Amino acid sequence: MYYDALTIAAIRDELDERLVGGRVQRIVQIAELVIGLEIYAGQRHQLLLSAETRSPRVLLAEDKLRRGVEKPSPLHLLLAKYVDGARLVAVEQPPLERVLCLRFEGAYGPVGLVAELMGRYSNIILLAPDGVIMEAIKRVPASVNRYRTILPQHPYAPPPPQAKENPRLLTAPHLCEMLAAQPEGPWWRRLVDAISGISPLLAREIVYRATGEDEPPELPDVAQCTALLSALDALMRLPETHAWSPCIAFEENQPRAYAPYDLTHWLVREPTPSISEAITRVENAKQTFDAYKQVRDRLRDLIREQRTRQNTRLASLRRSLTPPAEIDALQWRANAILALAWKIAPRQCELVVDPAELGLDEGEVNQPDRKSTRLNSSHTDIS
């Protein structure tokens, strides 16, 4: 589902209301690209930041976040130094951008934690007060992106702006021209391609609120563009009015979409108390979430590694064991050497043993391994 600029604005307001002024009590690395912060602000809150390609997000989680990787990342280590114990003093979002910046002040000075939530380009970046990158959860060298090198000790450059129109500066005639100039496609697709900060879900909602249809067949005229602008303006003013109404839309009794506004173009929908809860319910419907899954997987890997190591050692010990059939013969030879040690001269390499010298009876002498035997250093150490 689309984690667009309006969703991030709603998250910003939620974090501003619940977390600002709170102190970070705990930092965990949940997965390779997922960080969790426990922030106490009157009560404990679990803040999740994910830079995963399929589900980049920042939200308040209901369950306690658990460590899921054995070796912490460089970003996690720096967060433990600069953010653990620090206070969250501000939550900021550049206009119409899918970027959220958390400002912290701690014992080592102020730092910024930037979450860029842009699909495969998503990242989590720790910034020094002068805007220099301290560390990132994804390092991006110049060989990959010459415009934005995301490496420690490099200046931070925000994501480049899209070549689209600002929705707050549009007029109805201009909108008609823009939509007509776009390649063939439904209204909502043309809106996405032409206007900044518009996701497919938001574009569909704008079209439905303006026309009462999901996909009108003809290109809009000036009157219809005026209605589109009215619906667009009402939604784009939500970050200023803070009149959020988080909503979940259902299809076949399963949560399929979320938004910080009422999804009127969906037949079945219900309001939710917060946008974080709406996101969590939709994400959980797509894949079963288990707060302990990462921990269990890590423990299974450790157990599997130890079992493999112990089985290897056991196999080595079994190969080094003397076969049971040889043990009795070896013991007899050792006893013979002990009994006749007085006959062994320095540097002697072999000892010929006559069983009669050992006082063995006839039955013992007739045993195959106890007849007259020549013991030498090739099979018995007598030195």
Side-chain angles (χ1 to χ4, degrees):
M1 195 40 63
Y2 305 103
Y3 204 91
D4 57 22
L6 276 185
T7 301
I8 293 175
I11 287 288
R12 179 202 63 202
D13 283 357
E14 185 175 327
L15 301 187
D16 188 72
E17 177 185 355
R18 299 190 185 185
L19 300 187
V20 169
R23 187 182 297 277
V24 178
Q25 295 190 141
R26 182 169 164 266
I27 301 174
V28 293
Q29 181 138 16
I30 302 167
E32 182 182 0
L33 300 176
V34 186
I35 294 290
L37 306 179
E38 182 177 277
I39 300 178
Y40 183 82
Q43 66 181 71
R44 290 184 178 88
H45 297 279
Q46 308 295 322
L47 178 62
L48 182 143
L49 301 93
S50 170
E52 294 176 320
T53 299
R54 294 188 177 182
S55 57
R57 59 198 186 277
V58 174
L59 56 81
L60 291 174
E62 296 179 359
D63 299 318
K64 185 174 182 178
L65 302 175
R66 306 286 178 177
R67 180 165 63 97
V69 296
E70 182 63 24
K71 184 178 180 181
S73 66
L75 176 64
H76 182 206
L77 295 176
L78 281 180
L79 289 174
K81 178 178 179 179
Y82 289 94
V83 175
D84 196 6
R87 288 195 180 276
L88 177 63
V89 296
V91 183
E92 303 167 354
Q93 178 198 17
L96 303 176
E97 293 292 343
R98 290 176 292 169
V99 177
L100 204 61
C101 182
L102 309 177
R103 303 287 181 185
F104 295 94
E105 289 188 0
Y108 291 91
V111 292
L113 188 61
V114 178
E116 299 178 349
L117 310 169
M118 301 175 292
R120 63 191 181 97
Y121 300 108
S122 299
N123 212 334
I124 302 172
I125 306 167
L126 183 64
L127 300 181
D130 57 359
V132 173
I133 297 172
M134 300 172 69
E135 190 54 89
I137 207 164
K138 294 181 186 176
R139 292 186 175 185
V140 183
S143 59
V144 175
N145 190 330
R146 186 173 300 177
Y147 176 81
R148 293 187 73 215
T149 300
I150 303 177
L151 292 173
Q153 305 307 315
H154 283 66
Y156 172 75
Q162 295 179 317
K164 297 181 180 181
E165 295 290 335
N166 188 323
R168 306 300 298 273
L169 303 178
L170 290 174
T171 63
H174 188 199
L175 180 60
C176 285
E177 294 176 6
M178 288 170 48
L179 296 181
Q182 295 297 319
E184 291 185 4
W187 289 20
W188 66 266
R189 171 52 61 189
R190 296 174 186 240
L191 288 172
V192 171
D193 293 339
I195 303 175
S196 180
I198 304 294
S199 67
L201 184 68
L202 176 58
R204 289 177 183 272
E205 181 63 24
I206 291 169
V207 172
Y208 187 82
R209 291 190 181 193
T211 67
E213 300 180 55
D214 291 327
E215 295 186 13
E218 303 294 334
L219 281 176
D221 54 25
V222 175
Q224 290 172 319
C225 283
T226 301
L228 286 173
L229 280 180
S230 177
L232 173 62
D233 185 68
L235 290 169
M236 298 307 291
R237 285 186 180 275
L238 286 174
E240 301 172 9
T241 63
H242 310 290
W244 305 108
S245 52
C247 172
I248 297 177
F250 292 82
E251 185 178 47
E252 298 179 354
N253 295 324
Q254 292 295 320
R256 298 299 185 192
Y258 60 80
Y261 46 82
D262 189 15
L263 290 168
T264 60
H265 70 282
W266 284 75
L267 204 60
V268 182
R269 60 190 186 277
E270 70 176 40
T272 57
S274 70
I275 185 62
S276 289
E277 181 178 331
I279 297 170
T280 301
R281 288 181 60 184
V282 174
E283 293 294 331
N284 287 353
K286 291 193 296 185
Q287 58 182 2
T288 303
F289 178 76
D290 185 350
Y292 294 90
K293 181 179 184 302
Q294 298 286 349
V295 179
R296 275 203 303 271
D297 289 346
R298 180 166 56 87
L299 289 176
R300 286 195 183 101
D301 290 341
L302 290 174
I303 293 171
R304 189 179 302 112
E305 178 183 345
Q306 289 298 322
R307 289 186 64 180
T308 301
R309 183 178 301 173
Q310 298 305 323
N311 286 336
T312 302
R313 292 180 62 188
L314 183 60
S316 177
L317 290 172
R318 285 172 175 166
R319 287 194 299 269
S320 66
L321 289 176
T322 302
E326 297 181 16
I327 292 177
D328 192 50
L330 288 174
Q331 185 175 7
W332 185 88
R333 288 185 172 90
N335 290 334
I337 290 172
L338 289 175
L340 300 176
W342 59 274
K343 293 181 60 177
I344 301 174
R347 301 185 182 278
Q348 182 176 334
C349 295
E350 66 177 13
L351 174 67
V352 177
V353 177
D354 183 358
E357 293 183 84
L358 302 178
L360 300 178
D361 59 28
E362 184 177 352
E364 291 177 311
V365 170
N366 289 331
Q367 292 184 21
D369 60 345
R370 297 186 181 182
K371 293 184 178 181
S372 181
T373 306
R374 181 183 297 272
L375 304 180
N376 56 54
S377 58
S378 63
H379 62 273
T380 304
D381 186 2
I382 64 175
S383 59

